[in-house]
């Protein structure tokens, strides 16, 4: 049995206003569940309001719905972290190891090539500038892409900003923090080490950052890619 | 069937049931899973929505399930299916649960010693 627009609006109000749910992905999933379950119950002769209460009871009332939303947020964060690790791991042990070696060699080349020239050193010193430009460009592209998606889905800016960019900001911040450590903090400690060893550790830090960034971006791309198809 | 003990027993085996159903059906959505379990057990076993969705979300986060959204009657429907890792894990968890149930059965069928 097809539900009327009023009944659909009641379900939407029930989830958003009466039960304070905010996560759009979860609301969409629960809306489908409520709609299908209620329409099946109505086919069997039950009234709309009774069916709604039955389904609501199955979710554990408001407490159950809110707990589910909280848990959903935790699982989504966990999913991003695990996905990122699954993408990053092959760069260290697996089929992507040659890429890591190539990045390390590239950074070593840059470091050796520009190490003696003051002006170039300040700009290119260890390839950090390239990485920072890469981060900013990717961040910009993701923001534009997300805006485009949210506009297409009829969502408002705030719901999109709070929900989807957060993992990227976290990954960006971790990468940037490691880079800054490598640039400013590591330099202080490296004075007591032989030059070759200091350079090796510094470059390893930067390579790990680049690899982590690439892996995390692949994971985010996979996670955020819409997998919607028409019936 | 009394619901409280049923819910307690279900708790530990819910994820295995989901994996088994998805092994059989390729892809399913939340409501479909609840109905399938009801149908297979002739209404003896009922999975509550409050238990099902957190289990599905956890399996998805673990990388055992993947989702695909399809527009049905103008609304988004989220289908769950097993990933490659999910298929392997499903086989392993089902075997573990079967072995556990066999052992449990042996203990439950223990004849009182005279």
């Amino acid at each position: 049995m097809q539900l009327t627009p009023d009944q659909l609006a009641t379900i939407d109000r029930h989830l958003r206003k009466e039960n304070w749910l905010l996560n759009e992905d979860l609301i969409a999933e629960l809306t489908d569940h409520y709609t299908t379950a209620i329409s099946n119950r109505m086919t069997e002769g039950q009234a709309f309001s009774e069916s709604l209460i039955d389904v609501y009871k199955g979710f554990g009332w408001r407490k159950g719905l809110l707990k589910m939303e909280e848990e959903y947020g935790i699982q989504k964060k966990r999913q991003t972290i695990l996905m990122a690790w699954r993408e990053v791991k092959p760069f260290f042990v697996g089929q992507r190891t040659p890429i890591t070696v190539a990045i390390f060699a590239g950074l070593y080349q840059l470091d050796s090539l520009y190490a003696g020239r003051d002006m170039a050193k300040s700009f290119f010193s260890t390839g950090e500038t390239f990485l920072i430009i890469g981060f900013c460009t990717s961040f910009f592209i993701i923001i534009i892409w997300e805006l485009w998606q949210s506009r297409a889905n009829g969502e408002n800016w705030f719901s999109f900003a709070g929900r989807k960019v957060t993992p990227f900001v976290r990954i960006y911040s971790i990468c940037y923090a490691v880079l800054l450590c490598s640039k400013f903090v590591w330099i202080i400690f490296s004075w007591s080490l032989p030059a070759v060893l200091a350079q090796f550790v510094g470059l390893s830090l930067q390579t790990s950052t680049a690899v982590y960034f690439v892996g995390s971006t692949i994971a985010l791309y996979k996670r955020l890619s819409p997998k919607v198809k028409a019936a | 069937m009394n619901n409280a003990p049923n819910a307690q027993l279900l708790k530990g085996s819910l994820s295995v049931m989901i994996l088994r159903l998805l092994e059989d059906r390729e892809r399913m959505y939340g409501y479909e899973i609840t109905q399938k379990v009801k149908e297979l057990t002739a209404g003896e076993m009922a999975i509550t929505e409050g238990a099902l969705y957190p289990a599905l979300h956890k399996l998805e986060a673990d990388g055992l399930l993947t989702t695909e959204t399809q527009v049905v009657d103008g609304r988004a429907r989220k289908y769950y299916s097993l990933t490659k890792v999910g298929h392997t894990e499903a086989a392993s968890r089902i075997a573990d649960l079967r072995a556990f149930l066999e052992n449990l059965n042996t203990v439950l069928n223990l004849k009182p010693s005279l």
Side-chain angles (χ1 to χ4, degrees):
Chain A
M1 180 185 273
Q2 285 272 9
L3 299 188
T4 65
D6 275 353
Q7 289 166 337
L8 292 172
T10 304
I11 294 173
D12 193 59
R13 199 169 53 243
H14 166 82
L15 294 172
R16 290 173 196 275
K17 299 258 169 69
E18 292 162 17
N19 287 288
W20 313 330
L21 295 183
L22 296 169
N23 189 295
E24 292 297 332
D25 291 340
L26 184 65
I27 290 172
E29 185 169 27
L30 298 187
T31 300
D32 179 55
H33 186 102
Y34 266 79
T35 310
T36 316
I38 290 173
S39 74
N40 281 359
R41 281 176 166 80
M42 287 173 75
T43 309
E44 290 162 7
Q46 207 172 7
F48 173 79
S49 53
E50 283 171 27
S51 309
L52 181 69
I53 289 170
D54 261 6
V55 181
Y56 190 26
K57 188 180 167 190
F59 278 100
W61 311 106
R62 182 185 290 157
K63 196 180 166 192
L65 284 171
L66 289 174
K67 195 178 167 205
M68 185 185 292
E69 188 177 48
E70 191 187 340
E71 189 61 30
Y72 184 75
I74 293 169
Q75 293 301 340
K76 281 289 155 191
K77 278 180 196 159
R78 228 182 109 237
Q79 187 182 4
T80 310
I81 293 164
L82 289 174
M83 275 181 86
W85 175 238
R86 277 194 286 272
E87 294 297 334
V88 171
K89 199 180 164 193
F91 281 102
F92 294 103
V93 270
Q95 55 188 16
R96 291 176 183 160
T97 314
I99 300 174
T100 312
V101 175
I103 292 173
F104 185 89
L107 289 173
Y108 177 77
Q109 277 297 318
L110 281 171
D111 200 46
S112 311
L113 202 63
Y114 295 108
R117 300 175 206 172
D118 284 347
M119 227 183 81
K121 192 181 176 184
S122 64
F123 189 74
F124 292 112
S125 66
T126 44
E128 285 150 352
T129 312
F130 290 131
L131 294 179
I132 291 167
I133 290 169
F135 295 161
C136 295
T137 313
S138 317
F139 190 56
F140 182 72
I141 291 169
I142 285 196
I143 289 222
I144 296 292
W145 180 75
E146 285 290 347
L147 267 177
W148 182 263
Q149 287 292 320
S150 60
R151 196 179 157 199
N153 295 336
E155 295 168 2
N156 65 49
W157 158 261
F158 295 106
S159 70
F160 130 76
R163 204 180 65 227
K164 289 179 180 169
V165 177
T166 322
F168 189 87
V169 172
R170 195 167 52 237
I171 288 162
Y172 179 86
S173 308
I174 293 171
C175 291
Y176 202 71
V178 176
L179 276 182
L180 289 177
C181 269
S182 148
K183 198 175 174 73
F184 299 110
V185 183
W186 172 242
I187 276 179
I188 299 166
F189 290 108
S190 66
W191 285 340
S192 56
L193 291 174
V196 178
L197 184 61
Q199 188 190 23
F200 177 79
V201 177
L203 289 176
S204 299
L205 266 176
Q206 290 150 27
T207 307
S208 308
T209 310
V211 158
Y212 175 69
F213 179 76
V214 173
S216 306
T217 308
I218 296 170
L220 270 177
Y221 174 76
K222 283 185 180 172
R223 212 202 111 194
L224 299 177
S225 295
K227 288 176 275 182
V228 182
K229 64 179 190 184
Chain B
M1 188 180 255
N2 191 345
N3 273 339
N6 194 3
Q8 283 297 320
L9 292 170
L10 255 175
K11 212 173 181 181
S13 47
L14 181 57
S15 61
V16 186
M17 285 166 64
I18 294 170
L19 293 173
R20 179 68 190 93
L21 287 172
L22 289 170
E23 224 184 15
D24 192 48
R25 290 287 290 267
E26 203 163 309
R27 66 170 205 167
M28 293 176 98
Y29 56 96
Y31 182 73
E32 193 181 7
I33 293 174
T34 60
Q35 295 308 294
K36 191 70 193 171
V37 171
K38 215 171 173 180
E39 182 196 318
L40 287 170
T41 62
E44 277 289 301
M45 196 182 269
I47 301 180
T48 63
E49 291 83 347
L52 174 73
Y53 284 100
L56 284 170
H57 298 151
K58 189 174 182 302
L59 289 169
E60 190 192 358
D62 289 340
L64 304 184
L65 301 185
T66 184
T67 58
E68 181 186 64
T69 305
Q70 189 168 336
V71 180
V72 179
D73 294 333
R75 63 178 184 275
R77 175 164 291 168
K78 198 169 172 183
Y79 282 94
Y80 292 88
S81 54
L82 289 176
T83 59
K84 204 175 162 189
V85 184
H87 274 287
T88 319
E89 189 67 22
S92 154
R93 287 196 195 182
I94 291 162
D96 285 350
L97 187 62
R98 278 214 173 103
F100 174 77
L101 288 174
E102 273 172 29
N103 289 330
L104 184 68
N105 211 20
T106 311
V107 174
L108 292 179
N109 288 333
L110 188 71
K111 286 182 182 146
S113 51
L114 295 171

